[in-house]
Amino acid sequence: MAERECLAGLLEPAHTALLTVECQRGVVGPGSALPHLAVAVRADGTLSRIAALVAAARSAGATVVHAIAERRPDGRGASRNARLFRTAERLPVQQLTGTPAAEVTDEIAVGASDLVVRRLHGLSPLAGTGLDALLRNLGVRTVVVTGVSLNIAVPNAVFDAVNLGYTAVVPADAVAGVPADYAAAVLRHTLDLVATVTTAEAVLASWQGSDQLH
């Protein structure tokens, strides 16, 4: 009970943002550039849990933010200082600005009050995107991080949130990475040291007053 009350205190809607990381068609959709990751986020209901958290956050009055990674068709401004970026340039599905690949996946409804933050460079949904200023203007103190992947972008988001002074909450069953054993190790041995690692059900219960995941 004490743990539940502590989580509810962290997740007070007026001061909380729910962040979906790269939950876009070209990453987690049927035509993903990263099919193994797309399978991982769908196989056990992770994507459905993210969608449920988005709806519950919005209903409770928390801020909802969708972080999209994209690149211009001409590549201007894109990062090339890591093998990941150079590999992404050669993938058959490109996350190009203005294309379906760079839109939030169909399973997650985007509300009129949601923020959609797009980045053309780097690894982070927070650093260098302007999101930090937006969250501070909204009075946000806690960031709930969901999405993909536990390999890179999700840990990056958590670290940046903590470095910027936010409390990070990670529902372990609303994030995904590959392979599964590596993703589990990141949660257990890294993110658990800097964030409150919990479950989607517990977060939903804080916002809905219910113990059941709908």
Side-chain angles (χ1 to χ4, degrees):
M1 181 64 72
E3 182 177 351
R4 182 177 300 174
E5 291 175 351
C6 179
L7 185 61
L10 289 178
L11 297 175
E12 201 282 313
H15 302 292
T16 299
L18 185 285
L19 176 65
T20 72
V21 179
E22 296 181 27
C23 290
Q24 57 201 76
R25 293 179 184 175
V27 176
V28 301
S32 171
L34 305 166
H36 295 299
L37 181 58
V39 169
V41 81
R42 291 167 178 273
D44 63 354
T46 299
L47 192 57
S48 296
R49 284 187 285 273
I50 296 171
L53 286 167
V54 167
R58 192 183 300 123
S59 179
T63 296
V64 176
V65 183
H66 307 283
I68 300 294
E70 63 184 26
R71 57 185 284 120
R72 288 168 49 116
D74 61 8
R76 286 179 62 83
S79 300
R80 300 198 77 255
N81 57 333
R83 183 161 62 93
L84 172 68
F85 302 129
R86 298 189 293 274
T87 299
E89 292 177 353
R90 301 190 297 272
L91 291 175
V93 178
Q94 295 288 307
Q95 316 300 317
L96 298 181
T97 302
T99 67
E103 298 302 325
V104 177
T105 189
D106 294 342
E107 291 84 353
I108 298 174
V110 179
S113 63
D114 296 2
L115 300 174
V116 179
V117 176
R118 301 175 179 276
R119 75 177 192 275
L120 292 171
H121 64 89
L123 302 169
S124 176
L126 270 167
T129 65
L131 179 55
D132 177 37
L134 297 177
L135 296 181
R136 292 187 189 282
N137 288 344
L138 291 166
V140 169
R141 296 194 293 263
T142 298
V143 179
V144 181
V145 181
T146 68
V148 296
S149 74
L150 280 164
N151 300 75
I152 295 176
V154 167
N156 202 146
V158 172
F159 296 152
D160 283 344
V162 172
N163 285 333
L164 289 167
Y166 298 98
T167 297
V169 174
V170 180
D173 52 353
V175 289
V178 290
D181 57 348
Y182 174 77
V186 171
L187 283 164
R188 179 178 179 182
H189 299 296
T190 301
L191 297 189
D192 193 46
L193 300 176
V194 295
T196 297
V197 177
T198 183
T199 65
E201 182 177 9
V203 174
L204 286 170
S206 295
W207 286 335
Q208 297 176 335
S210 168
D211 292 331
Q212 299 299 315
L213 177 61
H214 299 293

